[in-house]
Amino acid sequence: MTRRLIRGDLERAVAAIQDGHLVAMPTETVYGLAADATNPEALARIFAIKGRPSNHPLIVHLADPEDFGLWAPDASAQARQLAAAAWPGPLTLIVPRSQAFPPEVAGGRDTIGIRVPAHPMARELIRLAGTPLAAPSANLFGAVSPTTAQHVADDLGDRLDPMSDVILDGGPCPVGLESTIVDCTTDPVQILRAGAVTATEIADVLGSATARASGPARASGMLASHYAPSCQVRLVDTADDAMALAAGTPGSRTLDLTNDLGRYARDLYGELRQADLDGVRTLIAVLPPADGIGHAIRDRLTKASAPR
Ligand code: TXA
Ligand code: MG
């Protein structure tokens, strides 16, 4: 079954999207479960297959930065500045939702998250399909995001239809953590989710400070417990602390990639999944410094370790 779902060819994937089916597509951040963003029935299947509440908005993916004006005519000047600076790339901008998008894609909100992914296969798929693609991460709701086609098959292989849906294999995701989300409908803009594009970079582009997100969970990635594996995750500050804790914790494994933060981000979700596959009971993770992508790694580790 799973074998029939995973494919390397775009042609089948383009046809699937145009026929209202689903395609798990590689992006530079994580794999997304994509459907035509203008097709409410196809969108309903995304929510059903992920087990995602229908009021959790999806991110829409465009092929080219030039398409932003067409699909987000009311985007603020700041949104346009950020798009010009960071796209294609791991940055999602929340802007007013145009009538071109059905309410379903945005979980009923009047705003919408949009980004242009940097993965060539994703961009080619969107271009050839001829429509924006709505795509949440291609995992079950609340679980760890997939960074390989096999991860998607492990999570959703039984739920997708091997006759019509497609898992497009574009290799491992080069960034490994979900996009930075910036709400551009407020002034100052607010960072709703940390990612590879940092707050410092955003402030540099805008020439002004950003605000921290406030209010009740604005993005599902802001829920305290999210991105969680089955094993317990415990956080420590240093390799020495990890060693001491491991000595007194049977069935534990230590994760420490603090000497290479790019690799830490890239491998984090695969390591969380592997720990579960290997029956690890406690994963002891060394926190990276809060610098650059270290912010996003700390955020995901903290959520993976939250009580649940
Ligand atoms: O890197 C990514 O962003 C990946 C790839 C596939 O592009 N996608 C992704 O999607 O992480 P998802 O659905 O797992 O996370 C989307 C997040 C959710 O936390 C959602 O609440 C938030 O974006 N979001 C989407 N639209 C929003 C809106 N209009 N207002 C506030 N938050 C929004
Ligand atoms: Mg997700």
Side-chain angles (χ1 to χ4, degrees):
M1 280 293 254
T2 294
R3 247 165 198 245
R4 294 194 56 174
L5 277 161
I6 300 184
R7 293 172 178 269
D9 60 308
L10 265 175
E11 226 167 293
R12 265 287 304 263
V14 171
I17 294 290
Q18 292 176 336
D19 291 341
H21 304 303
L22 306 186
V23 174
M25 66 171 177
T27 81
E28 79 280 33
T29 58
V30 301
Y31 274 71
L33 184 61
D36 178 349
T38 65
N39 179 338
E41 287 98 63
L43 296 170
R45 264 195 82 221
I46 292 183
F47 288 99
I49 284 179
K50 272 191 64 110
R52 181 179 179 120
S54 61
N55 63 352
H56 280 252
L58 306 177
I59 292 173
V60 170
H61 300 69
L62 305 178
D64 290 289
E66 296 75 44
D67 299 339
F68 191 40
L70 182 66
W71 293 98
D74 300 323
S76 66
Q78 292 195 317
R80 284 184 269 117
Q81 265 176 288
L82 289 171
W87 286 353
L91 178 68
T92 296
L93 303 173
I94 308 293
V95 297
R97 175 170 60 86
S98 90
Q99 295 295 317
F101 294 110
E104 287 86 349
V105 70
R109 300 183 192 210
D110 54 13
T111 60
I112 191 160
I114 299 184
R115 82 180 190 98
V116 176
H119 199 292
M121 205 179 246
R123 296 183 69 195
E124 197 60 11
L125 173 66
I126 304 164
R127 215 173 273 137
L128 293 173
T131 181
L133 299 185
S137 52
N139 54 282
L140 295 174
F141 184 68
V144 177
S145 292
T147 53
T148 66
Q150 188 58 51
H151 293 163
V152 180
D154 291 345
D155 279 11
L156 305 179
D158 294 342
R159 296 171 172 233
L160 293 171
D161 180 351
M163 301 308 289
S164 51
D165 301 322
V166 173
I167 298 174
L168 203 48
D169 191 353
C173 301
V175 174
L177 298 179
E178 303 82 353
S179 61
T180 305
I181 302 181
V182 179
D183 187 345
C184 298
T185 65
T186 61
D187 191 4
V189 303
Q190 294 185 69
I191 298 181
L192 303 188
R193 181 172 73 184
V197 175
T198 65
T200 312
E201 289 168 335
I202 290 163
D204 282 349
V205 170
L206 298 179
S208 64
T210 60
R212 276 185 190 275
S214 55
R218 297 281 312 275
S220 66
M222 293 171 72
L223 299 173
S225 170
H226 210 68
Y227 312 108
S230 304
C231 63
Q232 195 193 12
V233 177
R234 303 221 13 216
L235 308 181
V236 293
D237 286 315
T238 67
D240 283 347
D241 292 348
M243 215 153 32
L245 183 55
T249 313
S252 67
R253 173 181 292 173
T254 296
L255 175 62
D256 181 5
L257 296 172
T258 49
N259 60 346
D260 181 348
L261 295 196
R263 177 159 169 236
Y264 209 154
R266 200 156 53 242
D267 291 353
L268 177 60
Y269 290 152
E271 292 285 348
L272 295 179
R273 284 170 177 268
Q274 195 59 46
D276 279 347
L277 287 175
D278 294 343
V280 169
R281 276 193 283 159
T282 305
L283 186 71
I284 301 168
V286 181
L287 285 165
D291 187 35
I293 198 163
H295 285 288
I297 299 168
R298 291 171 70 96
D299 170 70
R300 303 311 191 275
L301 280 173
T302 303
K303 279 162 182 149
S305 72
R308 50 181 190 268

